[in-house]
Amino acid sequence: MHASSASIPSRGFNLPAGLQAKGMLRPRPVTFHAAGAEIYGQGEQAGVLFKIEYGAVRIYRLLADGRRQVVAFHIKGETFGFDAWNVRSFYAEAIAPTGLTTVEADADGRYSPDLMALALRSMVRAQEHLLVVGRQSALEKLAVFLVDLDDRQGHDGIIDLPMTRTDIGDYLGMTIETVSRSLSKLKDMGVLRLKSTRCLEVLNGSKLRALSA
Amino acid sequence: MHASSASIPSRGFNLPAGLQAKGMLRPRPVTFHAAGAEIYGQGEQAGVLFKIEYGAVRIYRLLADGRRQVVAFHIKGETFGFDAWNVRSFYAEAIAPTGLTTVEADADGRYSPDLMALALRSMVRAQEHLLVVGRQSALEKLAVFLVDLDDRQGHDGIIDLPMTRTDIGDYLGMTIETVSRSLSKLKDMGVLRLKSTRCLEVLNGSKLRALSA
DNA sequence: CGCCCCATTGAGACGTTTCAATGGATGTGG
DNA sequence: CCACATCCATTGAAACGTCTCAATGGGGCG
């Protein structure tokens, strides 16, 4: 369940220890992860960042009573794996067949604006997610989620859902049934059409965006 | 819903030299901000970080319908102001008389491990906040909030609440009435005692922590 | 002292969760 | 290739918890 290579962090928080050479110039091996495969687990040694070549990943934590909170989804082109300490705070799992490469920091142990920007973007994304999870109705939450996904997938109105309804519910803080009911409601409102359970087409983007305001 | 009353925002100003806190290498000016004063606003130029010498700060965003989501509270000793772009994504306001010093990025635009660690810690804190807001009951949310505050204030069981009930509600994703009712419930359960509306004493820490599991 | 803002408490409305049953897609073995 | 098992998704009805609306109480500050 753990295809990634172990890392040896040299500092008190998770950023990759420096590589000898400038990594961008060297071909990186792509590790493959089947759907459902764990990439890293809470409590494991942290240190490596991952960039998604293809596929999708969920970041989550299990609560004491078995409930699960998904804190982020990442798709093709995105980078994940930031941690504040040298131990993973969350689980990362592939939710579809996924290929990953690793990302390293600069050799001198200091961090480029690019890497910092990626970390900060993760932070802001988490904070913005709070706006959604904390304060909105089920329908609004789902609208925000779909708009966000559409934006990240190319604004073309065709939204691929690599994750299950359960994943969506655990991400938005609602039950699978409410996710399903809300999707049906959006369908009844003429906002979207389900091409299949895992792929939908936006029919009325402005109405969808109005809901996610 | 219930956006809190925004008092007249006044910018911070520098204290006389005699009142400045001693910096590490050279003395940094401490700017003072009255309770309710805006420190920065969404859309402003970003880049400067702030360290809290005394007081407390709320980080929040206003939603289109006037609702407000507080994404973080910061207290004495903590650093805030990280942003993913060169524009502020959130508002920062003092919620009590507050003194701030500034923290600068390195001159060459790259980032020290210490600074990166602070940013990553902010990120993880935001993600952990998601666990609370998304998945828990009102009583559990409040318990988590109080335990966190106690930990950050010295584990002594005396919890100072610099923020209003409205702030707490906007942070935990619930109404002011539910905050109040939950506090009363914790009181009735013998978990805590209200020394005043803004200060409470934990009587049964293990029960409080059990609730926040 | 009195005003104002904040906090508390109550009762009913509303939305989400829970429990339960059905439907649909996928994959495996006979 | 079909039968069947399994997992995921949809839909319904009732229970529950939070929100809303409303009134009262209390503390700080002019």
Side-chain angles (χ1 to χ4, degrees):
Chain A
M1 279 311 219
H2 197 259
S4 67
S5 54
S7 64
I8 306 110
S10 58
R11 312 196 177 274
F13 56 94
N14 163 31
L15 268 180
L19 258 198
Q20 310 75 349
K22 263 297 198 179
M24 294 308 228
L25 303 175
R26 218 177 42 165
R28 293 176 182 281
V30 175
T31 59
F32 174 77
H33 303 256
E38 180 177 301
I39 296 160
Y40 56 75
Q42 188 182 340
E44 281 183 15
Q45 179 95 288
V48 173
L49 304 181
F50 299 96
K51 182 172 183 194
I52 303 178
E53 299 299 321
Y54 57 91
V57 170
R58 64 179 162 235
I59 310 294
Y60 69 93
R61 182 179 288 183
L62 295 172
L63 304 180
D65 56 6
R67 288 177 298 185
R68 192 184 66 157
Q69 175 70 44
V70 173
V71 299
F73 292 115
H74 294 289
I75 62 177
K76 176 182 168 185
E78 299 178 346
T79 300
F80 68 94
F82 294 100
D83 267 280
W85 296 276
N86 55 7
V87 160
R88 295 293 185 193
S89 301
F90 298 90
Y91 292 92
E93 270 182 16
I95 56 183
T98 298
L100 302 176
T101 54
T102 57
V103 180
E104 307 286 347
D106 290 354
D108 62 0
R110 296 170 75 250
Y111 302 101
S112 69
D114 284 352
L115 207 54
M116 188 77 175
L118 284 175
L120 292 173
R121 227 153 277 172
S122 285
M123 180 189 71
V124 170
R125 188 177 283 282
Q127 289 179 327
E128 304 214 320
H129 190 195
L130 274 170
L131 307 183
V132 178
V133 171
R135 282 250 157 262
Q136 315 255 16
S137 73
L139 209 61
E140 291 171 325
K141 287 183 192 178
L142 198 61
V144 173
F145 173 70
L146 293 176
V147 167
D148 180 50
L149 220 47
D150 189 30
D151 287 347
R152 290 155 73 186
Q153 288 181 2
H155 303 268
D156 57 359
I158 305 294
I159 303 179
D160 182 48
L161 300 172
M163 67 291 289
T164 66
R165 301 289 188 268
T166 303
D167 284 329
I168 299 174
D170 287 349
Y171 180 63
L172 297 177
M174 54 207 239
T175 61
I176 176 177
E177 292 95 334
T178 302
V179 172
S180 189
R181 271 186 262 267
S182 302
L183 268 178
S184 298
K185 193 162 199 173
L186 289 175
K187 188 184 59 182
D188 296 343
M189 291 165 68
V191 173
L192 52 81
R193 189 173 71 84
L194 277 87
K195 297 165 71 79
S196 75
T197 56
R198 294 301 181 83
C199 182
L200 52 85
E201 179 182 0
V202 179
L203 300 175
N204 191 334
S206 56
K207 195 184 269 186
L208 185 64
R209 275 163 208 279
L211 279 170
S212 68
Chain B
M1 217 170 287
H2 46 274
S4 77
S5 58
S7 30
I8 300 92
S10 63
R11 309 305 303 206
F13 54 88
N14 289 340
L15 289 175
L19 294 179
Q20 289 177 1
K22 46 189 178 293
M24 318 218 171
L25 300 175
R26 58 188 162 131
R28 292 179 184 280
V30 174
T31 59
F32 173 78
H33 301 257
E38 180 177 301
I39 296 160
Y40 56 75
Q42 188 181 341
E44 283 184 14
Q45 172 95 14
V48 176
L49 306 180
F50 298 95
K51 182 171 182 193
I52 302 179
E53 300 298 323
Y54 57 90
V57 170
R58 63 181 162 233
I59 310 295
Y60 68 93
R61 183 179 288 185
L62 294 173
L63 304 180
D65 56 5
R67 290 178 296 184
R68 191 185 67 159
Q69 176 69 46
V70 173
V71 299
F73 292 115
H74 294 290
I75 60 176
K76 176 183 167 185
E78 299 178 345
T79 299
F80 67 94
F82 293 99
D83 266 280
W85 297 276
N86 55 9
V87 159
R88 295 294 184 191
S89 301
F90 298 90
Y91 292 92
E93 269 182 18
I95 55 183
T98 298
L100 302 175
T101 53
T102 57
V103 180
E104 305 285 347
D106 291 358
D108 60 0
R110 297 170 75 249
Y111 298 92
S112 69
D114 285 350
L115 208 54
M116 194 73 183
L118 286 174
L120 292 172
R121 231 151 270 174
S122 285
M123 181 192 69
V124 169
R125 186 177 285 280
Q127 289 180 326
E128 304 217 323
H129 188 36
L130 273 170
L131 306 183
V132 178
V133 172
R135 281 249 155 262
Q136 315 255 15
S137 73
L139 209 62
E140 289 170 326
K141 287 183 191 177
L142 198 60
V144 172
F145 172 71
L146 293 176
V147 166
D148 180 50
L149 219 48
D150 189 30
D151 288 348
R152 290 155 75 187
Q153 287 182 2
H155 302 269
D156 57 0
I158 305 295
I159 303 180
D160 182 49
L161 301 172
M163 66 291 287
T164 67
R165 300 290 188 269
T166 302
D167 285 330
I168 299 174
D170 287 349
Y171 180 62
L172 297 177
M174 52 206 240
T175 60
I176 176 177
E177 293 95 332
T178 302
V179 172
S180 190
R181 271 186 262 268
S182 300
L183 269 177
S184 298
K185 194 163 198 173
L186 288 174
K187 188 184 62 182
D188 295 344
M189 291 165 68
V191 172
L192 52 81
R193 188 173 72 87
L194 277 86
K195 297 166 70 81
S196 76
T197 56
R198 295 302 181 83
C199 182
L200 52 84
E201 180 182 359
V202 178
L203 300 176
N204 191 335
S206 56
K207 195 183 267 184
L208 185 64
R209 274 162 210 279
L211 280 171
S212 68

